[in-house]
Amino acid sequence: MTDQQEQIRVGVLGARGRMGLEVCKAVDAADDLELVAMVDQGDSLVNAADAGAQVLVDFTTPDVVMDNLHWAVEQGINMVVGTTGFTEQRLERVRTWLSHKPEVGVLIAPNFGLGAVLMMQFAARAARYFESAEIIEQHHPRKLDAPSGTATHTAKLIAAARAEAGLGAMPDATKEEVSGARGADIDGVRVHAVRAAGLVAHQEVLFGTHGETLTIRHDSLDRTSFMPGVLLGIRSIVTRPGLTIGLDPLLD
Amino acid sequence: MTDQQEQIRVGVLGARGRMGLEVCKAVDAADDLELVAMVDQGDSLVNAADAGAQVLVDFTTPDVVMDNLHWAVEQGINMVVGTTGFTEQRLERVRTWLSHKPEVGVLIAPNFGLGAVLMMQFAARAARYFESAEIIEQHHPRKLDAPSGTATHTAKLIAAARAEAGLGAMPDATKEEVSGARGADIDGVRVHAVRAAGLVAHQEVLFGTHGETLTIRHDSLDRTSFMPGVLLGIRSIVTRPGLTIGLDPLLD
Amino acid sequence: MTDQQEQIRVGVLGARGRMGLEVCKAVDAADDLELVAMVDQGDSLVNAADAGAQVLVDFTTPDVVMDNLHWAVEQGINMVVGTTGFTEQRLERVRTWLSHKPEVGVLIAPNFGLGAVLMMQFAARAARYFESAEIIEQHHPRKLDAPSGTATHTAKLIAAARAEAGLGAMPDATKEEVSGARGADIDGVRVHAVRAAGLVAHQEVLFGTHGETLTIRHDSLDRTSFMPGVLLGIRSIVTRPGLTIGLDPLLD
Amino acid sequence: MTDQQEQIRVGVLGARGRMGLEVCKAVDAADDLELVAMVDQGDSLVNAADAGAQVLVDFTTPDVVMDNLHWAVEQGINMVVGTTGFTEQRLERVRTWLSHKPEVGVLIAPNFGLGAVLMMQFAARAARYFESAEIIEQHHPRKLDAPSGTATHTAKLIAAARAEAGLGAMPDATKEEVSGARGADIDGVRVHAVRAAGLVAHQEVLFGTHGETLTIRHDSLDRTSFMPGVLLGIRSIVTRPGLTIGLDPLLD
């Protein structure tokens, strides 16, 4: 980054929460960003406007995020939203607000993990070229669901890409199976969920065809892994008016 | 494949060579392709034309491939070429021939391994989003060069993508290094070459940023691994007039 | 190997079979072994004795192997047997023959893959020190059974080692499972079987405890992978009288 | 653990330090251990004796650890020591003290990571059976030395095992090498050091022979990974009089 480049002024809503705190640290550490406002329960949003914030990052709760969004769009301030709970109805309301402020940009993303998003993109892209595809996800043993949401989503993307390319069922001569050995069947894609102490969150997507395999693996070790995605969102949204959903469109 | 779909009629030049033989087998086994001519030294190319070949696959030698290409373009037959030795000068001559036959398609590719091509594409695409990137390639111990050509090419792609994104040097606090421990430096990207009995040809590209890593790995076990790429070339070239270089443009 | 060292003279029974042929090549290529007899259907075993064989390697069929063994033990020739079909009854007969020839050694092994045998040894040894253990085996899609015999055997070894160490059930909070996601349950050890084109025969054993994992992985690419085990058998059996079952006792 | 089994009473020296705190937590959480004393600067060791500690765990500093050891041996209390700085001279003094108290056990270990210790044991054991062996260690980019101490130690163990088995140099036909590509040469074993953001501490030992490879991989994510080794030390030392160095002897 050159010194001449102007910094983007950033405010954080939910600044004392677990994620908000990490965002504050990450913004503070980035040369091209300036942390100008930290807002949490009891603080007024007006502080953020007064401080000249160009982008607000929102990691708050579903019950306040819509008010925050409405206010920010009205003020002409861009937003990066990691708060959950967005239904199609809610997204529609945001689109309406933005239609009156066409210069404002809003990014709403369910997952800020760049690695996970890229893994899914690459998997969807590779799927049509390989006879076989299977997913092995590995998580800590306190996880309640198997397979993970990310693995299920990846499987659906692969299945859709295969269908579009006219690929049939994958080769599999299994005759004798101990129940469960071949994993869960998600739209025809086998998904295996490993649970072990010492693991955090990992996923491997294996593609195979004659004489070769291609493997895409993502290892996530802690929640700071979401920060590069948040920073990418901040840097992108200032020149990206309208509503953007998910990191995918930013990765092109 | 639906039954109604017409098969593409394919001829193979260099049909008795190691690669040619594999191509014949692969074409023969594909439902949507028909093997109509096998041509090798001493056979006339006219056979291929008489047999109504729509695509000729050429795995011959640098001293005959230009004649084959010239003849095929004249005849209006598409070509997929895996023969090596193409200089910019040779490519220019092919372009000239094609300029008089704008409906003919020619694909010339140095590497038909789909997995390797996708690995390189994904690596180039991921590079800008990660602080760190390193390459570990692993081959059988009879290999003469280290690192491999594919690893060197991948490193250059990563370096170019980083430069374009304005990324600086990767973090590395190494103070005390046993010579060679940190690998070869290819345009600022560290490349490690492992050589061991039992290995064939493998490459891992590791990307890392705060709290997460993304790994793209390719394992190639034998030369049949090039066949899916050759078949993709055949299927693509019938609707892709002009000169196409490398598989990359076909993978979009 | 020093030049002074005397070579071990080896005969191969079933020398024209798939495995026998590989054994002949491997013995021939080893500096410390001399291939003195290649015997197959129609040849007389006496040739092997006349040639002064010290060790006979038997990759024949269940219907002739017992005759071969009986004859070799009578002649005072050591044997390395890879032929299948050994019941406890058959082993008992071999023990009886050997009791009259206490200086002769016989090795009968169901699996000559050193890597696989070591993987199982290490897995059994590590099992008691980790809270969690899971197995992921990966094979070509023409395989009929899932999980593989090796994976099932490994799981049983792990379960036995855990029981002996007084370890209870592994931690696993899974509440919502898409059927099969958590793999097959083999004596309390979860086993996942991946099937994909491009794979040959692979197995990964994952152990985990607080903050760390230990992974033991075996990749087998072709049947030459059994040769180091056969050679180890030949070298060991000349100084190992009596009946030895499996490679395990040779690996200490 | 049965209810009848008596708990081992444990005291922790250096209890308010980073490691000491983790030890206190781990002892507290273990059903078969009872935390009876937490001692740090300013506290008297006598507290630990009064509390009936059977084992003291010492994560203090080199300048006080010898006094702690002397006192504990005198009192007849067993010790598990993770404090660094033990020279051969210091060990000799401990042996002298123990010679007067033959019933007391002392464990002094430079590394309590069970996974790392097992990885090294397995590597040393596998080394003689494979033509090739290479090490790839991967660490965070703030690490100052390359390769890591563990990787260097593993390489030396492999080299020693190969020498003992009479194995010569590994096969390697490399003719053209970009400087550093083949890694550092540690006693003839190639070691590659990867440094990338997002990594913590990882090591892979790759063994290869005809048609197969065996890989042993250790991933360490945080310092709690040392706790299972500390607990193993506590449980073992109560029935292991004399001086024990390193976890190795406990893992048999």
Side-chain angles (χ1 to χ4, degrees), chain A residues 39-232:
Chain A
V39 178
D40 211 307
Q41 275 187 301
D43 304 328
S44 169
L45 286 173
V46 177
N47 298 342
D50 290 350
Q54 297 164 272
V55 180
L56 292 182
V57 181
D58 188 303
F59 278 95
T60 58
T61 55
D63 57 323
V64 301
V65 67
M66 290 304 283
D67 287 345
N68 293 348
L69 262 165
H70 195 184
W71 177 86
V73 173
E74 290 285 304
Q75 299 289 322
I77 306 179
N78 307 292
M79 276 196 88
V80 170
V81 182
T83 307
T84 57
F86 278 84
T87 57
E88 186 46 46
Q89 204 179 6
R90 285 191 157 203
L91 294 174
E92 202 43 47
R93 281 169 63 199
V94 177
R95 278 191 201 97
T96 305
W97 298 334
L98 284 168
S99 66
H100 302 116
K101 287 281 190 175
E103 76 283 7
V104 178
V106 170
L107 167 68
I108 298 176
N111 187 344
F112 278 95
L114 277 182
V117 171
L118 286 169
M119 173 180 63
M120 285 186 269
Q121 277 200 356
F122 295 165
R125 201 159 144 55
R128 81 193 65 183
Y129 304 114
F130 290 88
E131 279 181 81
S132 304
E134 301 214 356
I135 298 172
I136 304 145
E137 56 94 329
Q138 310 194 337
H139 283 84
H140 58 84
R142 298 173 307 284
K143 191 168 176 57
L144 299 177
D145 54 326
S148 70
T150 298
T152 301
H153 188 54
T154 310
K156 286 177 186 294
L157 291 172
I158 291 171
R162 289 178 63 94
E164 200 188 300
L167 295 179
M170 301 178 198
D172 184 355
T174 308
K175 284 261 165 52
E176 289 176 56
E177 182 193 358
V178 180
S179 175
R182 291 286 293 114
D185 182 328
I186 307 285
D187 291 5
V189 179
R190 296 291 175 155
V191 182
H192 310 269
V194 175
R195 296 292 174 266
L199 293 173
V200 184
H202 319 261
Q203 182 171 312
E204 207 168 289
V205 187
L206 172 76
F207 292 102
T209 185
H210 297 293
E212 67 173 340
T213 58
L214 180 70
T215 308
I216 303 164
R217 180 179 173 109
H218 181 240
D219 295 271
S220 175
L221 298 195
D222 65 38
R223 83 176 60 98
T224 65
S225 72
F226 297 126
M227 290 310 123
V230 172
L231 298 192
L232 175 69

Side-chain angles (χ1 to χ4, degrees), chain D residues 30 45 62 69 149 162 183 209 217 221:
Chain D
L45 285 173
L69 263 165
R162 289 178 64 93
T209 186
R217 181 179 172 108
L221 298 195

Side-chain angles (χ1 to χ4, degrees), chain C residues 96-108:
Chain C
T96 305
W97 298 335
L98 284 167
S99 67
H100 303 114
K101 288 281 190 175
E103 76 284 7
V104 178
V106 170
L107 166 68
I108 298 177

Side-chain angles (χ1 to χ4, degrees), chain B:
Chain B
M1 300 298 158
T2 62
D3 290 346
Q4 297 88 330
Q5 198 177 346
E6 243 176 90
Q7 290 180 310
I8 301 172
R9 290 184 302 281
V10 180
V12 177
L13 311 185
R16 287 193 292 272
R18 229 175 42 164
M19 287 295 290
L21 212 61
E22 294 291 339
V23 175
C24 291
K25 277 195 246 175
V27 168
D28 205 48
D31 286 346
D32 61 333
L33 306 180
E34 188 184 358
L35 181 62
V36 297
M38 297 172 64
V39 177
D40 211 305
Q41 275 186 300
D43 304 328
S44 170
L45 285 173
V46 178
N47 297 341
D50 289 352
Q54 297 164 272
V55 180
L56 292 182
V57 180
D58 189 302
F59 278 95
T60 59
T61 55
D63 56 323
V64 301
V65 66
M66 290 303 283
D67 287 346
N68 293 348
L69 262 166
H70 196 184
W71 177 85
V73 173
E74 290 285 304
Q75 299 289 322
I77 306 179
N78 307 292
M79 277 196 85
V80 170
V81 181
T83 307
T84 57
F86 278 85
T87 57
E88 186 46 44
Q89 207 180 6
R90 285 193 156 200
L91 294 174
E92 203 43 49
R93 282 170 63 200
V94 177
R95 279 191 200 98
T96 305
W97 298 335
L98 284 168
S99 66
H100 303 115
K101 287 281 191 178
E103 76 282 8
V104 178
V106 170
L107 167 68
I108 298 177
N111 187 343
F112 279 95
L114 277 183
V117 171
L118 286 170
M119 174 181 60
M120 285 186 270
Q121 277 199 357
F122 294 165
R125 199 160 145 54
R128 81 193 65 183
Y129 303 113
F130 291 88
E131 277 181 83
S132 304
E134 301 215 358
I135 298 173
I136 304 145
E137 56 94 330
Q138 310 194 335
H139 284 85
H140 57 82
R142 299 173 306 285
K143 190 168 177 57
L144 299 177
D145 53 328
S148 70
T150 298
T152 302
H153 188 55
T154 310
K156 287 176 186 294
L157 290 172
I158 291 170
R162 289 178 64 93
E164 200 187 300
L167 295 180
M170 301 178 199
D172 183 357
T174 309
K175 283 261 166 53
E176 288 178 57
E177 181 192 358
V178 179
S179 175
R182 290 286 292 114
D185 182 327
I186 307 284
D187 291 3
V189 180
R190 296 291 174 155
V191 182
H192 309 269
V194 175
R195 298 291 174 266
L199 292 173
V200 185
H202 319 261
Q203 182 172 309
E204 208 167 287
V205 187
L206 172 76
F207 293 103
T209 186
H210 297 294
E212 66 172 342
T213 59
L214 180 70
T215 308
I216 304 165
R217 182 180 172 109
H218 180 240
D219 294 273
S220 174
L221 298 194
D222 65 40
R223 82 175 61 95
T224 65
S225 72
F226 295 126
M227 290 311 122
V230 173
L231 299 191
L232 175 69
I234 294 169
R235 287 167 185 141
S236 304
I237 205 61
V238 291
T239 57
R240 195 175 180 94
L243 179 61
T244 302
I245 297 174
L247 288 189
D248 264 291
L250 309 184
L251 297 178
D252 288 326

